[in-house]
Amino acid sequence: MSTAILTGQPVPGASLEGELRALGFDVRVASDAGDAETLLARIPGDQRVALVDARFVGHLHALRLGLTDPRFPVAALPGAVTVQPAARQALTRALARTGSRASGDGGSGGSAVAVDGVAEALAADGVPVHRPELGSLVATVPADPQARNEARQAVAAVDDEAVRLRTAVKSRDGFFTTYFVSPYSRYIARWCARRGLTPNQVTTASLLTALIAAGCAATGTRGGFVAAGALLIASFVLDCTDGQLARYSLQYSTLGAWLDATFDRAKEYAYYAGLALGAARGGDDVWALALGAMILQACRHVVDFSFNEANTRDPAAAADASPAAALSGKLDRVGWTVWLRRMIVLPIGERWAMIAVLTALTTPRITFYALLIGCGLAGLYTTAGRVLRSLTRRAQRTERAARALADLADSGPLAEVLARLLPSGPRVPARLLTVAGAAVVVLAAWFDGPGWSVVVCAGVYVLVSADVIQHPLKGALDWLVPPLLRAAEYLTVLILAAKADVNGVLPAAFGLVAAVAYHHYDTVYRIRGDAGAPPHWLVRAIGGHEGRTLLVTVLAALLTATGFKVALTVLAVAVALVVLFESIRFWVTAHRRGAPAVHDEGEPA
């Protein structure tokens, strides 16, 4: 339960008390600042508290935005301020100080000064105060009856439900989502809100729909493929709806952001597996294409994550005035180029629509070919632009950004030991050796297949991987290191499995890469939620990127093709069990402990 304290006597005929109760507040009335302090002291410390000027006039949704958003410990709008339990002591101090000043000047300024003064006092104490963007919504404290009448007319002139629906949609989204999904999915979100459904429930429904779609694709029949395509689109509509529901009703949570992001990956990759199974029923083996599509998409995401972490955690990046950044900004101000640039990167809406249509009309092989070509071109486009921007960037990367990149690198115990034992050479040559080592192990697997030559190359890769620990990732292009390491590990597994040429080994490799990719995605979501990287014991337990790469090459060299299939399956299950157990434990525990609410706007790709 939350409590709202009205400062001053309610205005006759005003609907403020009813609106606050509709938002879930227990309303109490304080005649002055001293009375407000007394009431505040009586409210349990685990409740959200709001101070609201009794003369407040505004839209209900303005109050909702200002007083109920769970992401911000302290928020304010004209005539109202709210704090969550973590900031209660700061509110008590600010209210006492504001009340003392009001008493000292004879109470001039009335209750409006008391409420707005509390927000100013909180900010003066260094407490971050969130002030929501209200746009056309009204939130004001009229000083006299005429101003009150004008404010009421302004409220009546704006349909706050229309504003609420419009702002439930992301301000920046893909072409397909903007024009083919959001125009009606927002109404589905409102329907869900009015029936008490939560974003997490809608997210789960989206996952189940996608899994059913994958099952339909796995039948290998034309009817199954058509149903799969339709259900995949339905799953995407629900995927858009859960975020719109979260914005519409302000139901944000750390657990919800993690579920939304994680389920997106699970839905897409499960659908790839379903297509591969369906193709196999028709006599076409496309598991290598399915695994290649998953690797390409995972590496694209790691490129996005690494670049963003390297820059969003670097305050100097906000002032980046490089020519590439300036050009990008200019293009974003021209209407048709905005949509073209958003479509070129093949974001999730366009990608899923393409997959759904091709599934229904063509074959899994054609679907995967189109997916690989489209995602490959999109990856080249985005990566080239980021490389250009990084090369012309003037600011130095911070320790925080370097730490995030090091966590994304996923270095294991072998790299740690070698980093302590081996001398540290010059940074640039060492970094180039790391890149070369990653390329060599992949090329060796491609040309030689399972054998001891690949093991030797993997050993070299392990040796040079110590550089990531010895030299902080602060170089202009060091954000490329984590995706290069991901590509080296995943491609080694793919190539060795394909070279084994035994039925079932590629599905086992698909499972292993999926389990490891989940761990890498989970690392990103923890960093984004300011929860830090996964515990060190987990990274050590699953070997790090260099340990897993070496182990897979050794297994391929030692075992028969059938034995290699069994070993990959066992390894996939073991990694999946460990990372899933720790991940689910962490996120559920964080949710129960009241971790700060997070809303992830989703990945552009």
Side-chain angles (χ1 to χ4, degrees), residues 351-368:
R351 189 169 69 251
W352 283 25
M354 180 186 75
I355 294 171
V357 171
L358 291 177
T359 298
L361 300 180
T362 65
T363 65
R365 180 172 290 274
I366 292 175
T367 301
F368 281 124

Side-chain angles (χ1 to χ4, degrees), residues 13-80:
S15 60
L16 180 58
E17 288 187 68
E19 290 174 342
L20 289 170
R21 290 192 177 96
L23 294 177
F25 287 94
D26 177 27
V27 181
R28 304 182 188 183
V29 179
S31 57
D32 53 31
D35 194 15
E37 290 183 58
T38 302
L39 289 175
L40 179 61
R42 294 174 181 171
I43 298 172
D46 60 348
Q47 288 190 14
R48 174 193 283 272
V49 176
L51 294 178
V52 184
D53 192 300
R55 299 170 298 167
F56 176 89
V57 175
H59 287 98
L60 175 63
H61 192 48
L63 283 173
R64 181 182 290 108
L65 290 172
L67 302 183
T68 67
D69 196 324
R71 295 173 296 175
F72 307 103
V74 181
L77 65 162

